[in-house]
């Protein structure tokens, strides 16, 4: 039995629409696979050694919270980038995803510098992009659908055309409602607008992270889980959004 530990960044500030449910899902699935997983909360002004974690997770937050978190993350940006570049799995939702770019400008012109890890930026507009969304994503060389819910004022543009998005939009808005892309992928990082129970509704994405965490630890996951209920939920949403 192996022990995994996930860092939950700023749970008191960055947690919208039940984003933290993704952690419960990872913990539970790791348990079902015969391992255990703890979650450590990282708050403002606390030090973090990314080498002690198997994965990092940050949910979405409003512009105010994004500003506070940005200031704090900036102090640790070099360390964070090193960890991500070395393949640390990371799931960063909405406001957290936006912080990875060069800047975020709100609809009323307030500009927030980003961490600048990727050449992407976000421009806020008054009309929010809200609703259910379905993507086609390539995970472990298999194209799979991913269902979710999005709610954002920001339109994100991947300026660097060599950047890989998380998926292609089949229904919904995605990064900006125009170019058909959603989120960003880099090594084992996924930045996405998909809020709430992303992993419970998409066990393939949960297992994508679990398999990487396990491989990085030299742990073999051989059992497979009965995902009948999860797959049923996934299919129901997909049918509702895409039609039959
Ligand atoms: N401020 C961002 C936006 O609305 C992020 C909000 C969120 O995380 N849902 O675009």
């Amino acid at each position: 039995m192996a022990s995994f530990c996930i860092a939950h960044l700023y749970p008191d500030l960055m947690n919208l629409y039940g984003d933290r449910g993704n952690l419960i899902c990872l913990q539970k699935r790791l348990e079902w696979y015969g391992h255990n997983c703890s979650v450590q909360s990282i708050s403002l002004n606390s030090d973090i050694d990314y080498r002690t974690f198997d994965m990092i997770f940050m949910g979405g937050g409003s512009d105010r919270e994004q500003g506070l978190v940005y200031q704090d993350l900036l102090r640790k940006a070099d360390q964070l980038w090193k960890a991500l570049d070395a393949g640390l799995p990371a799931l960063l939702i909405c406001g957290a995803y936006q912080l990875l770019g060069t800047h975020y400008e709100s609809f009323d012109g307030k500009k927030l510098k980003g961490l600048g890890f990727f050449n992407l930026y976000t421009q806020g507009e008054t009309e929010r992009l809200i609703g259910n969304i379905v993507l086609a994503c390539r995970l472990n060389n298999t194209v799979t659908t991913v269902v979710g819910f999005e709610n954002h004022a920001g339109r994100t543009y991947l300026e660097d055309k060599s950047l890989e998005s998380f998926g292609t939009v089949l229904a919904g808005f995605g990064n900006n409602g125009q170019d058909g892309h959603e989120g960003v992928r880099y090594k084992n990082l996924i930045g996405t607008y998909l809020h709430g129970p992303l992993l419970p509704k998409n066990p393939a994405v949960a297992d994508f992270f679990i398999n990487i965490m396990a491989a990085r630890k030299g742990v073999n996951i051989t059992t497979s889980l009965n995902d009948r209920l999860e797959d049923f939920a996934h299919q129901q949403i997909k049918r509702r959004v895409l039609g039959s």
Side-chain angles (χ1 to χ4, degrees):
M1 181 198 272
S3 294
F4 294 84
C5 188
I6 303 176
H8 187 184
L9 304 186
Y10 314 103
D12 43 346
L13 296 168
M14 305 290 280
N15 178 42
L16 291 174
Y17 316 111
D19 288 339
R20 77 168 70 228
N22 291 306
L23 289 168
I24 299 170
C25 175
L26 289 169
Q27 276 187 298
K28 206 65 214 168
R29 290 182 78 82
L30 275 163
E31 213 176 276
W32 289 333
Y33 281 124
H35 303 290
N36 55 52
C37 174
S38 58
V39 172
Q40 195 178 315
S41 299
I42 306 291
S43 333
L44 285 183
N45 302 317
S46 51
D47 287 322
I48 175 167
D49 181 353
Y50 293 102
R51 288 168 306 183
T52 59
F53 294 103
D54 297 291
M55 177 170 169
I56 60 169
F57 172 80
M58 189 179 357
S62 70
D63 297 9
R64 191 190 81 89
E65 278 84 24
Q66 278 177 280
L68 294 170
V69 161
Y70 166 70
Q71 290 304 332
D72 199 53
L73 273 180
L74 198 56
R75 292 192 299 117
K76 317 162 185 165
D78 287 354
Q79 265 174 289
L80 175 56
W81 175 249
K82 236 191 194 159
L84 296 172
D85 200 37
L88 180 69
L91 176 58
L92 305 168
I93 316 275
C94 198
Y97 158 43
Q98 293 171 345
L99 287 176
L100 300 170
T102 52
H103 66 272
Y104 168 77
E105 185 168 347
S106 61
F107 72 94
D108 54 356
K110 287 191 202 83
K111 208 162 175 174
L112 181 69
K113 233 169 101 62
L115 292 166
F117 291 166
F118 305 114
N119 196 1
L120 61 87
Y121 72 94
T122 303
Q123 178 62 53
E125 291 190 21
T126 36
E127 200 184 321
R128 301 186 69 82
L129 305 179
I130 306 174
N132 290 317
I133 175 165
V134 181
L135 310 175
C137 298
R138 182 172 285 279
L139 295 171
N140 304 322
N141 280 325
T142 308
V143 177
T144 175
T145 50
V146 169
V147 298
F149 166 76
E150 60 183 325
N151 183 352
H152 48 110
R155 272 70 167 163
T156 298
Y157 300 92
L158 308 185
E159 287 210 287
D160 176 352
K161 296 301 167 218
S162 68
L163 274 177
E164 198 187 331
S165 59
F166 173 40
T168 306
V169 180
L170 301 180
F173 301 103
N175 276 344
N176 49 53
Q178 290 161 15
D179 65 17
H181 289 293
E182 203 292 318
V184 74
R185 265 289 286 279
Y186 178 74
K187 298 197 174 171
N188 298 323
L189 170 154
I190 294 176
T192 177
Y193 274 114
L194 273 54
H195 268 296
L198 167 65
L199 302 184
K201 286 189 287 199
N202 300 283
V205 185
D207 282 352
F208 163 81
F209 284 116
I210 287 173
N211 287 325
I212 296 162
M213 284 196 269
R216 281 166 56 90
K217 251 188 165 37
V219 172
N220 235 344
I221 293 200
T222 45
T223 39
S224 56
L225 302 181
N226 177 350
D227 283 329
R228 206 174 49 85
L229 277 178
E230 290 82 350
D231 290 339
F232 180 73
H234 180 101
Q235 292 304 336
Q236 287 293 102
I237 302 162
K238 199 164 112 182
R239 208 164 300 139
R240 228 171 55 193
V241 180
L242 294 182
S244 55

